[in-house]
Amino acid sequence: MSLENLLLDRDGAVAILTINRPPVLNALNSATLDELRRAVLDVRHDAAIRVLIITGAGEKSFVAGADINEIAALRPAQGKEHARQGQHLFELIENLGKPVIAAINGYALGGGCELAMACTLRLAANTARLGQPEINLGIMPGYAGTQRLARLVGKGVALDLLLTGRQVEADEALRIGLVNRVVPRESLMAEAKALAAEIAAKAPIALQYIIESVNRGLEVSFDQAQFLEATLFGLVASTDDMREGTTAFLQKRKPQFSGS
Ligand code: COA
């Protein structure tokens, strides 16, 4: 696959996708969104990849949002279409079937914050700054930022961030639950790779079903969510990895999960 705006690297069972437009702080134009969709689909279908890390190129930025040059030129009907495309892509990332770790190396603003929120886990450098500044441009988030932010940090804090457009530093992002962990900037990628390797050694089907159970379960009634969880439990309890995991525990050895 030829990629102009992304880098896709492999490190064992971990793939690393780097948004690579440093002159515009890795802003997402349509070409980049399109490449991201193709790269993410490739990762989805490659069973040897167990975990995906998404990060940004350069020292300053994860992703500084949608490309404002393109946003400025949108006509009304195009705006809706643009938002729907972004929403579909981020939904694909949220439900990729394997864990996705955002390694937030700097600004994660607008579409960048929305991209990070679509990932399964968020690891932030202590220099990271996150926010939804769309209101300052006279617009609003369009890649499901109003929805994922409210679900992650609660309605009150989400409305504060969405209506003021203010940026939060890494420590505040951690306190409000917008990121999972904060690490020194210089060790961000090492920490992201270590976390990815730790998760990559676990049973892939169980990982997939846990993510599905949380994501889908939050969108339906508690009763339906419990039913979904029990159904997925039934499936995971029929896997080879269930037998391996339980046998390894009883034999006091480390499990070797095959993904079947
Ligand atoms: N779209 C297009 N270009 C962008 C961009 C975006 N979202 N974010 C930054 N850039 C460009 C800048 O226009 C600038 O280009 P130039 O060198 O040709 O002037 C370059 O990236 C560097 O950005 P600059 O603003 O000079 O860096 P800074 O350190 O002073 O500020 C930010 C960094 C992130 C605070 C600032 O760039 C910013 O506010 N960006 C927009 C964030 C935003 O509103 N995102 C939501 C978009 S819907």
Side-chain angles (χ1 to χ4, degrees), residues 139-191:
I139 54 171
M140 61 182 285
Y143 302 158
T146 59
Q147 300 311 301
R148 289 202 178 88
L149 189 60
R151 281 163 176 73
L152 265 179
V153 305
K155 180 176 164 182
V157 178
L159 282 168
D160 168 3
L161 298 185
L162 291 162
L163 297 182
T164 63
R166 74 182 175 88
Q167 296 176 12
V168 299
E169 295 189 356
D171 285 350
E172 183 177 357
L174 182 64
R175 184 167 53 74
I176 63 178
L178 184 51
V179 299
N180 297 98
R181 302 180 192 185
V182 176
V183 299
R185 170 68 185 93
E186 55 277 13
S187 55
L188 176 69
M189 284 317 289
E191 295 274 1

Side-chain angles (χ1 to χ4, degrees), residues 2-7 18-22 26-36 57:
S2 70
L3 298 169
E4 283 183 17
N5 304 298
L6 302 179
L7 305 170
T18 306
I19 318 287
N20 188 27
R21 300 182 78 214
N26 306 320
L28 299 172
N29 61 0
S30 354
T32 308
L33 288 171
D34 197 45
E35 286 186 11
L36 198 48

Side-chain angles (χ1 to χ4, degrees), residues 197-209:
E198 179 190 341
I199 296 175
K202 299 188 190 297
I205 298 174
L207 290 172
Q208 177 180 347
Y209 290 173

Side-chain angles (χ1 to χ4, degrees), residues 47-208:
I49 298 175
R50 300 268 180 101
V51 179
L52 172 65
I53 296 173
I54 299 182
T55 193
E59 285 306 307
K60 233 171 130 175
S61 183
F62 174 70
V63 168
D67 192 312
I68 297 172
N69 298 296
E70 287 189 358
I71 298 283
L74 286 175
R75 306 305 308 153
Q78 292 174 320
K80 184 180 174 198
E81 192 51 34
H82 173 91
R84 293 300 284 162
Q85 280 175 2
Q87 288 172 357
H88 286 144
L89 169 62
F90 287 7
E91 204 173 351
L92 183 66
I93 291 171
E94 184 168 44
N95 297 299
L96 193 65
K98 48 192 93 184
V100 185
I101 298 171
I104 307 169
N105 55 307
Y107 290 113
L109 300 176
C113 188
E114 290 170 303
L115 173 60
M117 290 192 291
C119 295
T120 323
L121 295 170
R122 281 154 294 284
L123 203 59
N126 56 342
T127 54
R129 297 177 75 95
L130 297 91
Q132 298 289 161
E134 289 88 346
I135 188 66
N136 298 328
L137 299 169
I139 54 171
M140 61 182 285
Y143 302 158
T146 59
Q147 300 311 301
R148 289 202 178 88
L149 189 60
R151 281 163 176 73
L152 265 179
V153 305
K155 180 176 164 182
V157 178
L159 282 168
D160 168 3
L161 298 185
L162 291 162
L163 297 182
T164 63
R166 74 182 175 88
Q167 296 176 12
V168 299
E169 295 189 356
D171 285 350
E172 183 177 357
L174 182 64
R175 184 167 53 74
I176 63 178
L178 184 51
V179 299
N180 297 98
R181 302 180 192 185
V182 176
V183 299
R185 170 68 185 93
E186 55 277 13
S187 55
L188 176 69
M189 284 317 289
E191 295 274 1
K193 286 179 186 174
L195 178 61
E198 179 190 341
I199 296 175
K202 299 188 190 297
I205 298 174
L207 290 172
Q208 177 180 347

